[in-house]
Amino acid sequence: MTTKAVSPWRNLWIRFCEDRIALGALIVVAIILVLALFAPLIAPQDPYDLSGLSLRDARRPPGFVGSGAYVHWLGTDAQGRDLWSAILYGLRVSIQIGIFAGAVGLIIGTTVGILAAYHRGIAETVLMRIIDLQLSFPPILLALVLVAVLGQGKAQLIAALVAAQYAYFARTAFGAASAERSKDYIEAAMATPLSNMRIVFRHILPNAMPALIVVATVQVAYAIALESTLSFLGLGLPVTEPSLGMLISNGVKYMMSGRYWISVYPGIALIVLIVAINLVGDHVRDILNPRLNR
Amino acid sequence: MSSFLLQRILQGIVIMAVMSVIVFAGVYAIGNPLEVLIPPEATQDVRARTIARFGLDKSLVEQYFLFISNLFQGDLGQSYIYNEPVLQLIGNRLPATLELVLTAVLGATFIGVPLGIYAGYKPDSVTARTIMAVSILGFSVPTFWVGLILILTFAVSLGWLPSGGRGDTAELFGIDWSIFTLDGWSHLILPATNLALFKLAIMIRLARAGTREVMLSDAVKFARAAGLSETTILSRHVLKLISIPIVTVFGLELASTLAFAVVTETIFSWPGVGKLIIDSIKNLDRPVMVAYLILTAGLFVTINLCVDIGYAVLDPRLRRGRAE
């Protein structure tokens, strides 16, 4: 074969770039990732080094020049912390949690979904019944209960997020995998001495991947939103690791007296992140949807 | 039809039984309520009496059967913190949550469906594009954040509406309701809007997708050929044809809104069940948690059942198909 076929991934990329809004959203996501990754280098202040904070700088409006002799572009919070720095570090925490929870959910959910699709029979019935039951339950409620039962902490929070989300991956993987499983070439492959593992990893998984990636992007955004909601309710991460949700929650009581910036700027960072990820995911879904194909 | 209903009811009972075991095991197996109930300096005597009073000395299985037999007598136990029967505690706060949730979901449906139909009827118009952009925002932006912005705008900056609480209530059937007083409405409008936005986005999308499909169908072509006005087509025929998914989602969303009310109630200090569950989670008040979860699960099952019945009423094809 010498004719060079365009690989499906490259094709996906070309079609993705056709939509300016989606491309813009992808660039925004990339910028935020870079900011979060290099936060210690970019932030003018280490927001969690207490010796660097001065109460004289507390609750100052945006543009204030504090004792550090640099401009607090986004103002300072109740402890005199530079909000821009706090947001950069908060983004780090939120993104970490979102990606980690999304990845674990993807692995567990895909395993469950493919197992059910591959073995059919009783495994399919039992597993998918459980998944359907769980999907009818609001994830926020499930996460609340789990955080309540498991206690608070980073690992518990991730466990709660995964438990609330893996069912979406399982459903998607099941759908894609059982469509593939019923094709003749899989039946043929199963008649050969190829191992089950090989069939799953070489033939079934790659075909389920595109759909799973779309779900993964949306679920990462959802995990970030869910985590910030839990942190906002005081049921999320410990105080030592303030995510965006906790920064917002800290500012609420000052908002009533008109010091809006302590809550509003972390909130804007959160919204921009979530909306950008969703726009990217939405567009990839549109590209992969055969019904909308020209 | 009746065998179908019976099957559905049986299924619901099985789900409830499984749920009760899972919830009970999950909540009771982990965490130690003794730390909450008994001060560390308490004497051995006080400890023993407290353990006996709450039945904590029995095995998990015994505790579960005790719980179930009490459940059938309408006794869901005593709250550890409030020292009040759980059912009474939840019952007192349920009306506040119900009126909030109903206002939100009904509002979202009656505003969202017409907007969605319009967006599906003229998908390329500027208005339709604006409607869809708003619905994407409604999907993406976390509820708690919208709530904060609503408070910041309408309560703090403009000072038009109160930022929290329930306001004056009026009594009906011995229960206090905010929806019957003007002051109550001024308190209700912000939290209800907050809760409704996400549902609004869903309703818009559903109605739009349905309308776009139905507009291409023969039914609409014939209705046009018969000389019906566009308004009549939309309000009489299109609305009827897209109503099935809308009823489903209305039911499901009603239940999930009850769960989301947790967040809204916390932000607006709305004295409903949601705030109670957050407090009980923080205080490890297990009877309240278990009762809340069982009741919510029961509500889910009941609503799903109602949706199934609603289908049969709306879609004569299903009714006939099942009678056979």
Side-chain angles (χ1 to χ4, degrees):
Chain A
M1 285 273 278
T2 43
T3 46
K4 197 168 156 259
V6 184
S7 87
W9 293 108
R10 198 176 151 67
N11 190 21
L12 182 71
W13 172 245
I14 293 169
R15 290 194 47 200
F16 185 86
C17 295
E18 283 169 6
D19 188 294
R20 284 212 192 131
I21 297 176
L23 193 61
L26 188 67
I27 293 171
V28 171
V29 173
I31 291 174
I32 293 179
L33 281 179
V34 169
L35 285 178
L37 206 59
F38 297 105
L41 301 175
I42 302 166
Q45 178 195 62
D46 178 0
Y48 303 107
D49 174 19
L50 290 177
S51 62
L53 303 178
S54 163
L55 276 180
R56 271 185 299 141
D57 297 339
R59 297 190 289 277
R60 298 296 189 172
F64 171 80
V65 182
S67 50
Y70 51 85
V71 185
H72 297 293
W73 290 111
L74 301 182
T76 61
D77 74 0
Q79 276 85 46
R81 203 170 274 146
D82 177 47
L83 261 180
W84 168 238
S85 312
I87 289 173
L88 289 177
Y89 277 78
L91 276 172
R92 255 167 106 87
V93 178
S94 292
I95 293 174
Q96 248 177 27
I97 297 272
I99 291 181
F100 199 73
V104 177
L106 175 72
I107 293 168
I108 296 178
T110 308
T111 312
V112 172
I114 290 186
L115 266 182
Y118 194 76
H119 289 294
R120 296 186 172 164
I122 198 113
E124 175 183 336
T125 320
V126 172
L127 286 175
M128 292 330 281
R129 264 283 112 124
I130 296 174
I131 297 288
D132 281 342
L133 185 66
Q134 226 202 303
L135 281 176
S136 75
F137 225 68
I140 177 126
L141 200 63
L142 209 62
L144 270 181
V145 174
L146 281 169
V147 166
V149 170
L150 301 176
Q152 288 180 11
K154 203 176 189 172
Q156 287 91 326
L157 180 72
I158 290 176
L161 293 178
V162 169
Q165 295 191 305
Y166 84 98
Y168 294 90
F169 290 108
R171 253 261 150 253
T172 314
F174 177 77
S178 55
E180 212 56 31
R181 168 77 168 74
S182 56
K183 288 183 185 163
D184 288 342
Y185 83 96
I186 297 284
E187 291 289 346
M190 287 174 79
T192 67
L194 288 176
S195 72
N196 284 342
M197 284 301 249
R198 193 184 151 93
I199 297 174
V200 167
F201 278 101
R202 289 296 297 276
H203 300 296
I204 294 184
L205 193 60
N207 281 304
M209 227 40 215
L212 283 169
I213 287 172
V214 175
V215 177
T217 42
V218 177
Q219 289 300 317
V220 166
Y222 196 74
I224 292 174
L226 200 55
E227 181 279 320
S228 64
T229 303
L230 289 172
S231 286
F232 177 80
L233 293 172
L235 297 170
L237 289 171
V239 200
T240 46
E241 279 186 87
S243 67
L244 292 174
M246 196 177 297
L247 290 178
I248 297 169
S249 154
N250 286 342
V252 170
K253 54 177 179 283
Y254 304 107
M255 209 169 77
M256 301 297 168
S257 53
R259 294 191 183 85
Y260 65 91
W261 59 90
I262 305 176
S263 276
V264 168
Y265 290 129
I268 291 175
L270 180 70
I271 308 286
V272 170
L273 178 63
I274 295 174
V275 173
I277 297 178
N278 275 338
L279 281 174
V280 172
D282 249 19
H283 190 56
V284 177
R285 192 203 332 255
D286 283 353
I287 295 175
L288 295 176
N289 187 348
R291 274 202 290 179
L292 294 176
N293 266 356
R294 289 145 292 176
Chain B
M1 179 82 194
S2 61
S3 75
F4 160 74
L5 260 184
L6 202 68
Q7 190 195 339
R8 276 309 159 108
I9 291 172
L10 272 175
Q11 204 176 347
I13 292 173
V14 171
I15 291 178
M16 282 304 296
V18 174
M19 262 306 290
S20 75
V21 174
I22 294 174
V23 167
F24 184 86
V27 176
Y28 274 70
I30 309 163
N32 187 358
L34 289 178
E35 290 163 18
V36 185
L37 291 169
I38 308 168
E41 67 272 14
T43 61
Q44 207 58 40
D45 186 39
V46 174
R47 276 185 80 88
R49 253 190 295 147
T50 316
I51 290 173
R53 204 172 113 220
F54 290 103
L56 296 168
D57 51 343
K58 300 194 177 72
S59 73
L60 267 186
V61 179
E62 278 180 285
Q63 285 191 42
Y64 175 72
F65 280 108
L66 195 69
F67 170 75
I68 290 295
S69 73
N70 285 340
L71 183 68
F72 279 110
Q73 295 159 28
D75 176 11
L76 284 165
Q78 287 253 335
S79 157
Y80 294 162
I81 307 289
Y82 297 93
N83 265 326
E84 227 182 291
V86 171
L87 215 53
Q88 189 184 325
L89 203 60
I90 293 180
N92 283 342
R93 293 169 183 241
L94 205 55
T97 299
L98 278 182
E99 69 181 0
L100 179 62
V101 167
L102 278 177
T103 314
V105 177
L106 285 176
T109 310
F110 283 115
I111 297 171
V113 171
L115 286 180
I117 291 180
Y118 183 83
Y121 180 65
K122 284 188 171 169
D124 294 321
S125 68
V126 179
T127 323
R129 282 173 189 276
T130 318
I131 292 172
M132 291 320 288
V134 171
S135 93
I136 288 179
L137 272 183
F139 261 121
S140 303
V141 181
T143 309
F144 78 92
W145 174 249
V146 177
L148 288 181
I149 294 301
L150 286 176
I151 291 184
L152 189 63
T153 315
F154 294 102
V156 179
S157 298
L158 298 172
W160 289 350
L161 294 163
S163 67
R166 215 178 154 196
D168 293 340
T169 53
E171 211 183 272
L172 183 75
F173 306 127
I175 303 167
D176 290 330
W177 300 94
S178 290
I179 41 172
F180 296 124
T181 67
L182 211 58
D183 185 53
W185 267 103
S186 77
H187 283 80
L188 182 64
I189 196 110
L190 281 187
T193 310
N194 182 205
L195 203 51
L197 275 181
F198 188 77
K199 316 296 154 197
L200 189 71
I202 294 180
M203 287 298 173
I204 289 177
R205 290 200 158 200
L206 260 181
R208 174 175 180 268
T211 307
R212 285 190 77 172
E213 237 165 72
V214 171
M215 287 312 287
L216 300 171
S217 69
D218 290 341
V220 170
K221 277 186 206 139
F222 279 114
R224 278 187 175 144
L228 296 181
S229 75
E230 292 290 291
T231 331
T232 318
I233 293 176
L234 284 180
S235 63
R236 294 283 299 276
H237 298 279
V238 173
L239 186 63
K240 221 176 207 171
L241 288 168
I242 65 170
S243 59
I244 287 188
I246 290 175
V247 169
T248 320
V249 171
F250 180 87
L252 293 176
E253 288 306 312
L254 199 62
S256 86
T257 311
L258 274 173
F260 269 100
V262 170
V263 179
T264 300
E265 285 179 11
T266 310
I267 298 169
F268 289 92
S269 340
W270 189 261
V273 196
K275 228 174 126 26
L276 182 72
I277 183 79
I278 289 280
D279 291 341
S280 69
I281 287 174
K282 285 182 177 166
N283 296 326
L284 283 181
D285 196 350
R286 298 193 305 193
V288 180
M289 279 154 68
V290 171
Y292 174 82
L293 289 171
I294 300 269
L295 285 178
T296 315
L299 219 61
F300 259 87
V301 171
T302 317
I303 289 174
N304 278 337
L305 199 66
C306 293
V307 169
D308 281 336
I309 298 171
Y311 272 168
V313 174
L314 276 172
D315 193 336
R317 280 173 307 184
L318 290 179
R319 204 162 41 209
R320 227 175 297 132
R322 271 161 193 159
E324 280 162 15

